Amino acid sequence: MPESSRKNLTTAPRDASTLDLIGVVDTMFARHNMGAEAIDALKQCSGYGTRFEVVRRTVPGLKDLAVAAKKLIEEQQCRAVIALGMASKGPLGLQCAREASRGLMQAQLMTNTHILEVIVWEDRDEDLNSLFRNLPREHAINAYALLYEPDTLIAHAGHGTLALPV
């Protein structure tokens, strides 16, 4: 690994005067750059650059998401993390997705921090390109709302939706 890359892997602890951080973790395995979609949505939120910033990490596959999310919370003090990945077709893909989801749930409980999970399954009958674009954006908006506009979530309670309008 080049020296310049190594410098990005270690950072000093953040102090209280810096902006909040929202973490985005995605995978190389996914067939779409879901991390870029989530970041684009967050950049359009009120307070980007003045109240919060985004920090991104990319890992090889689904089962690496939990550790990367936990590290962003513990080492970078991210207030929330969006974890994005894709599961391949068939029983092995489903099993990997379940294990990744369990790891993400455990990381949430260990850190007492929200990790919003987006795992797109190749087996879905829906338009995958639409899912790859929309789900990361919707979950990014939800992460923002959890931190800064919780009343918007309350206003949508009982509406049968998982995401606020983008």
Side-chain angles (χ1 to χ4, degrees), residues 25-27 58-71 100 104:
V25 181
D26 63 348
T27 69
T58 300
V59 296
L62 284 177
K63 293 178 283 183
D64 304 303
L65 289 170
V67 169
K70 186 173 179 285
K71 286 176 67 89
L104 290 166

Side-chain angles (χ1 to χ4, degrees), residues 12-152:
R14 298 168 48 77
D15 77 29
S17 66
T18 60
L19 300 178
D20 288 342
L21 287 178
I22 296 176
V24 173
V25 181
D26 63 348
T27 69
M28 298 183 329
F29 182 76
R31 295 201 183 126
H32 185 84
N33 191 345
M34 293 191 287
E37 299 288 354
I39 291 169
D40 184 59
L42 288 167
K43 284 182 176 180
Q44 296 173 38
C45 292
S46 174
Y48 176 77
T50 58
R51 187 174 192 181
F52 74 94
E53 294 177 323
V54 177
V55 61
R56 178 181 182 177
R57 296 292 182 265
T58 300
V59 296
L62 284 177
K63 293 178 283 183
D64 304 303
L65 289 170
V67 169
K70 186 173 179 285
K71 286 176 67 89
L72 283 175
I73 294 163
E74 293 179 345
E75 296 174 9
Q76 302 289 312
Q77 288 79 47
C78 286
R79 294 200 52 218
V81 174
I82 305 142
L84 309 157
M86 184 190 95
S88 60
K89 290 182 180 180
L92 183 58
L94 182 59
Q95 181 181 352
C96 287
R98 285 181 179 153
E99 296 303 321
S101 184
R102 284 187 187 107
L104 290 166
M105 286 186 277
Q106 184 175 3
Q108 286 186 81
L109 294 171
M110 291 173 72
T111 61
N112 200 31
T113 303
H114 289 284
I115 301 172
L116 284 76
E117 170 189 327
V118 176
I119 298 177
V120 176
W121 283 280
E122 239 183 338
D123 282 348
R124 290 181 79 157
D125 292 332
E126 300 169 61
D127 174 21
L128 287 180
N129 287 325
S130 176
L131 292 174
F132 283 137
R133 282 189 309 273
N134 295 332
L135 290 176
R137 290 177 172 281
E138 292 168 351
H139 283 70
I141 300 298
N142 284 345
Y144 173 84
L146 276 168
L147 297 176
Y148 304 112
E149 297 179 7
D151 288 345
T152 61

